[in-house]
Amino acid sequence: MSDRLPLTQHIDTLYPIARVLVGDATAPRLMRETFRRAAATPVEKRPADEEAWLVELILEVRAGEETDLDEDSDRSDNDDPPLAETRGFRREVARSVAERALPVALAACSEQERALLTLKASGARTDDVLMPIAKTIAEDIETAVDEAYGELRAALRDVLSGPERMLIDTALPDASLEEVLTAYVTDAYHPAPARLRSDVAAVVDRENARRQGDEADAPTQRTPQEDRLTMHLRRTGVALLILLVIGGAAYGIAVSLTPSSGPAPQPTPTSLVEFSVDRVDGVKPLLRSSDPDSIAAAIRDRFGRTVKIPQVRNARVVSVGALTVDTTTVPALLYADSSGTGTITTYVYSYVLIDRISRIATLDNDLARGLDTADSILTRQSGEAQLSLWRQRDDIFVAVSPSGGAPLSDRIRPAE
């Protein structure tokens, strides 16, 4: 009988040790090398207490006391970080500390520093874009950016306790701080809400129309020749208009007597609620897994989005799927409902995706206002299906379940 199972049952014991020894990136390599050496040891030479032996072995591998790596093993791991790397765990913790304290530190900076840091983290295209803000801090952009990041780091240190401050000083280089800020700005402030974009577009359109009207009404000085030409054109225009009216009437009568074969008018966009219910059968599974971390990784790799997987009481996530609408793809989480009501399909929309499918489905104004202001889950009913809707930053979750059993909204626990 294989001795692999008795060894692998200790994975959960050793993995946390590997994480705190070398960090998340290198821990898998340390684990593989430890279990490789353990498996290479004949069963009869292993101590009775295998768990204690494995703990000792992982420490030996970590300390580099045995360096004769098997040339034929782990060939695919040549690009892994070396086991001698000692800073991985400290960097991870320092980054986590910075992510938690960054909003407070950013708020402690001046308005000009906040604006410059946010614009830089948003990926400002040219120095000309940065200059209007940068010149309020220093004479050149490079100096202004350096000073702003310096103030951000100083504010970060003020927010933190002694040990946390030490970690930030020793294990969070400037490049990592910039990455943390970029991730925060991207997640918290991008993109602008769809409703705001619509409001701004309406304001711009109204102002353009007013300006064009003012330009059309502006008085001009004309010569007598221009006045005579204008009168002639008006008379000619009236004659043409009469001919057009007569011709148009005749054409209209002819068309009314002829069966129409033209293209059908474009359908009116439906509500996002109705659309989500109608398209449940169109969701195609991409990855079957009951591990939320694997599901989140699949969404990140396939769609380039960071999504926290919500939990549903008496149901478990079983796969991530996709709904294709024209050229737009919407990720969806599929849950197996143990209460027997069927599959719970949870679409993961965003304001950007809703804009892209607005020709087919739209977010009702009352629903948009509710998602903008509500701290709780919104509920809707569509035929026999019940829906629950909630928002996390720019992600809009729409869960669809057949009616029956406990209300769906009472069972959902959004990820924090």
Side-chain angles (χ1 to χ4, degrees):
M1 181 177 66
S2 172
D3 59 3
R4 184 178 181 182
L5 182 58
L7 285 176
T8 56
Q9 68 181 347
H10 301 298
I11 288 177
D12 288 340
T13 299
L14 267 64
Y15 182 60
I17 300 174
R19 287 285 301 274
V20 300
L21 285 176
V22 296
D24 184 35
T26 314
R29 178 175 171 83
L30 178 58
M31 289 282 289
R32 289 193 296 268
E33 179 60 19
T34 299
F35 278 90
R36 185 192 69 79
R37 297 189 187 190
T41 303
V43 177
E44 62 273 10
K45 293 185 179 181
R46 299 175 190 173
D49 191 340
E50 286 189 338
E51 189 171 42
W53 172 59
L54 286 169
V55 171
E56 183 177 359
L57 184 59
I58 197 173
L59 295 176
E60 291 178 358
V61 175
R62 171 65 189 89
E65 293 179 5
E66 297 179 11
T67 57
D68 52 337
L69 300 180
D70 188 340
E71 295 295 334
D72 296 327
S73 67
D74 288 341
R75 283 293 185 182
S76 63
D77 300 328
N78 292 335
D79 295 333
D80 284 352
L83 294 180
E85 176 59 64
T86 62
R87 296 169 295 177
F89 177 67
R90 289 165 58 82
R91 279 202 306 267
E92 290 173 12
V93 175
R95 186 179 181 116
S96 176
V97 168
E99 289 172 347
R100 172 175 52 82
L102 185 68
V104 178
L106 186 61
C109 296
S110 70
E111 288 187 1
Q112 293 80 6
E113 291 162 350
R114 292 199 301 270
L116 179 61
L117 290 171
T118 301
L119 185 59
K120 185 76 164 58
S122 299
R125 268 56 68 187
T126 65
D127 287 350
D128 291 339
V129 177
L130 294 172
M131 181 53 76
I133 303 176
K135 68 183 181 182
T136 65
I137 301 175
E139 293 183 356
D140 61 273
I141 293 176
E142 184 176 358
T143 301
V145 171
D146 289 344
E147 289 184 6
Y149 269 109
E151 291 300 321
L152 178 64
R153 183 177 285 274
L156 197 59
R157 296 183 80 258
D158 291 341
V159 172
L160 302 174
S161 64
E164 293 174 328
R165 189 179 304 126
M166 179 271 296
L167 271 177
I168 293 298
D169 290 342
T170 60
L172 189 75
D174 291 342
S176 295
L177 179 58
E178 293 178 14
E179 291 174 359
V180 171
L181 178 62
T182 298
Y184 171 72
V185 169
T186 301
D187 290 345
Y189 305 133
H190 286 274
R195 184 181 173 194
L196 174 61
R197 285 196 294 274
S198 298
D199 290 346
V200 171
V203 170
V204 171
D205 289 343
R206 286 197 302 269
E207 188 63 22
N208 285 338
R210 184 197 62 78
R211 177 175 51 80
Q212 292 169 2
D214 289 346
E215 292 174 354
D217 294 340
T220 57
Q221 297 293 329
R222 295 183 298 181
T223 65
Q225 291 83 357
E226 291 175 332
D227 288 338
R228 287 194 296 272
L229 178 60
T230 300
M231 182 62 68
H232 175 71
L233 291 175
R234 285 178 178 173
R235 291 171 179 171
T236 304
V238 170
L240 289 174
L241 179 61
I242 293 173
L243 291 175
L244 287 173
V245 170
I246 295 173
Y251 177 77
I253 294 173
V255 169
S256 65
L257 297 176
T258 304
S260 175
S261 60
Q266 291 292 332
T268 302
T270 186
S271 163
L272 186 67
V273 170
E274 303 295 337
F275 171 83
S276 299
V277 173
D278 293 340
R279 296 298 183 100
V280 163
D281 292 336
V283 175
K284 305 300 182 184
L286 297 177
L287 171 69
R288 299 188 184 278
S289 174
S290 58
D291 178 23
D293 291 339
S294 298
I295 295 292
I299 295 177
R300 182 174 60 252
D301 295 341
R302 177 66 181 269
F303 302 97
R305 295 173 58 188
T306 300
V307 174
K308 295 182 179 180
I309 309 302
Q311 297 181 4
V312 181
R313 191 175 70 249
N314 296 329
R316 61 185 180 89
V317 63
V318 293
S319 68
V320 58
L323 173 66
T324 301
V325 184
D326 289 342
T327 59
T328 301
T329 305
V330 180
L333 307 172
L334 304 179
Y335 294 80
D337 193 349
S338 60
S339 64
T341 59
T343 300
I344 299 174
T345 303
T346 301
Y347 300 93
V348 189
Y349 295 106
S350 68
Y351 285 112
V352 171
L353 290 182
I354 293 174
D355 278 350
R356 291 175 181 171
I357 64 173
S358 59
R359 184 179 63 84
I360 300 173
T362 60
L363 187 62
D364 300 337
N365 289 334
D366 62 332
L367 195 56
R369 286 191 294 269
L371 290 171
D372 281 344
T373 60
D375 295 328
S376 58
I377 298 175
L378 305 179
T379 60
R380 293 291 188 274
Q381 191 79 23
S382 177
E384 297 182 354
Q386 56 173 317
L387 298 90
S388 294
L389 307 92
W390 69 98
R391 178 177 64 88
Q392 287 183 315
R393 294 184 176 175
D394 292 317
D395 294 326
I396 298 176
F397 294 83
V398 179
V400 182
S401 173
S403 295
L408 182 59
S409 59
D410 294 342
R411 301 167 55 194
I412 292 175
R413 189 173 71 182
E416 298 179 354

